[in-house]
Amino acid sequence: MYDIIIIGAGPAGLNAALYASRAGKKTLVLEKTFAGGQAATTYEVDNYIGVEKCDGAALAMKMASQATSFGAEIKYEDVLDINIEEKRIKTQKNEYKSKAIILSMGANPKKLGLENEDKLRGRGVSYCATCDGNFFKEKIACVVGGGDTALEDAIYLSALCKKVYLIHRRNSFRAVSLLINKVEENSKIECIFDSTVEKINGDNIMESIVVKNVKTNEETKIDTNALFVAIGTSPNTDIVKDKITLDENGYIITDENMKTSADGVFAAGDIRQKTLRQIITAASDGAVAANSAVTDIS
């Protein structure tokens, strides 16, 4: 029996583990892949207060180490089912019981939904520039999207690739002005506005893409071996669908204390309904969720 079980070891889950274990609660974190979540795949973090420009993977390792230093356990097991009422969690290896649950499973990248997209994933199609950018040194790369992540990806890739096309379906970016300025000043990045990717061509590896101008319907082929998709995320809430209240996009609805619609169940980070999804806001959510859970079971 644990006091608090946290599902997901991103910044939200790890900070929740830190706060819960510091409060003297027996705490378990269940993670199916690796600690750090999307933060661990970020090339450079420069907007986490108190930490000046660091590697995302290194920051994630420090978070995990700090959480476990206070007694939290991290087990790498995929959660198969959650019994909300009984606070019972089943993984592919074990079954665990707790007094409170914190959901922090994060979100996954959205896909374009194109033919060949899944077939060529890892063979040119990628959803993580910092993970796969190194494979395309001195080559031509394309990035799809118009938010912070897309522009960050383009800037990162411009240091590796000889040219980067940044493709966005609207006529202006939704990113912060700092990133927009960096993109505009970067001679290696060419912006293609009012356009969408219509086709991904290639057999064993990606060879080119077809881009369509949504205003003129004109199609253009771009020869490239790399397409980085950065068009948003989908929350990992399938396992709690119909068990707690979600919004129309599948994100968990919580109050300001991170409480969900179910007693003793809290949510933190990118998985919940919110306006800003950053490392610092995820970590903040985790602290609040842990404090609420500790108070709830004390």
Side-chain angles (χ1 to χ4, degrees):
M1 165 70 79
Y2 287 88
D3 293 315
I4 299 172
I5 292 181
I6 300 161
I7 305 175
L14 292 174
N15 207 36
L18 170 63
Y19 273 71
S21 56
R22 280 185 78 242
K25 301 303 180 183
K26 187 177 181 183
T27 304
L28 171 65
V29 182
L30 295 171
E31 168 58 50
K32 68 177 180 179
T33 53
F34 50 83
Q38 293 187 65
T41 66
T42 302
Y43 166 65
E44 184 178 84
V45 177
D46 64 359
N47 60 351
Y48 192 78
I49 191 70
V51 179
E52 295 184 7
K53 286 188 179 181
C54 69
D55 176 78
L59 179 61
M61 289 178 64
K62 288 181 179 179
M63 288 179 174
S65 176
Q66 192 171 1
T68 56
S69 72
F70 285 97
E73 297 178 53
I74 300 177
K75 294 186 179 182
Y76 294 92
E77 300 179 20
D78 190 11
V79 174
L80 303 179
D81 187 52
I82 304 172
N83 185 315
I84 296 293
E85 291 75 22
E86 297 180 6
K87 307 296 183 292
R88 194 178 298 277
I89 297 169
K90 181 180 179 182
T91 73
Q92 82 276 24
K93 296 179 180 179
N94 299 293
E95 188 168 290
Y96 302 97
K97 184 81 167 59
S98 69
K99 299 175 184 177
I101 296 173
I102 298 175
L103 305 169
S104 58
M105 295 92 77
N108 283 331
K110 289 182 179 178
K111 296 182 179 181
L112 295 170
L114 297 175
E115 185 179 355
N116 271 351
E117 185 174 0
D118 288 334
K119 175 185 175 182
L120 296 177
R121 182 169 185 170
R123 299 176 179 176
V125 176
S126 174
Y127 305 88
C128 179
T130 56
C131 303
D132 301 326
N134 200 54
F135 295 116
F136 303 99
K137 283 185 176 180
E138 297 304 316
K139 295 185 178 181
I140 296 173
C142 296
V143 177
V144 184
D148 287 358
T149 300
L151 273 65
E152 287 171 350
D153 286 355
I155 293 166
Y156 169 71
L157 291 167
S158 70
L160 300 171
C161 305
K162 64 181 180 181
K163 186 175 183 63
V164 178
Y165 291 98
L166 180 54
I167 304 160
H168 184 40
R169 61 182 177 176
R170 297 189 176 92
N171 61 4
S172 62
F173 295 121
R174 296 174 288 106
V176 297
S177 58
L178 175 66
L179 293 174
I180 294 175
N181 292 337
K182 285 185 176 182
V183 165
E184 291 175 343
E185 294 167 359
N186 194 318
S187 60
K188 282 190 173 183
I189 301 175
E190 180 177 335
C191 300
I192 303 177
F193 292 106
D194 298 317
S195 299
T196 58
V197 178
E198 295 294 301
K199 294 180 182 178
I200 303 172
N201 301 317
D203 292 323
N204 294 320
I205 61 170
M206 192 174 73
E207 299 171 355
S208 66
I209 62 172
V210 175
V211 175
K212 179 181 177 180
N213 186 293
V214 297
K215 292 184 176 178
T216 65
N217 290 324
E218 180 182 358
E219 293 189 347
T220 304
K221 187 179 84 166
I222 299 176
D223 293 323
T224 178
N225 294 124
L227 176 64
F228 294 91
V229 182
I231 57 172
T233 59
S234 297
N236 294 316
T237 50
D238 285 350
I239 201 166
V240 293
K241 187 178 180 181
D242 301 324
K243 296 180 180 181
I244 58 176
T245 303
L246 310 178
D247 70 8
E248 65 275 11
N249 295 311
Y251 291 92
I252 298 173
I253 296 175
T254 70
D255 65 11
E256 62 180 10
N257 296 312
M258 307 300 141
K259 292 182 178 180
T260 72
S261 59
D263 291 339
V265 180
F266 307 83
D270 290 1
I271 199 171
R272 78 179 191 93
Q273 185 188 63
K274 57 194 297 185
T275 56
L276 182 63
R277 293 183 172 87
Q278 297 285 301
I279 296 173
I280 195 163
T281 60
S284 174
D285 284 358
V288 175
N291 183 67
S292 297
V294 168
T295 301
D296 191 62
I297 64 177
S298 295

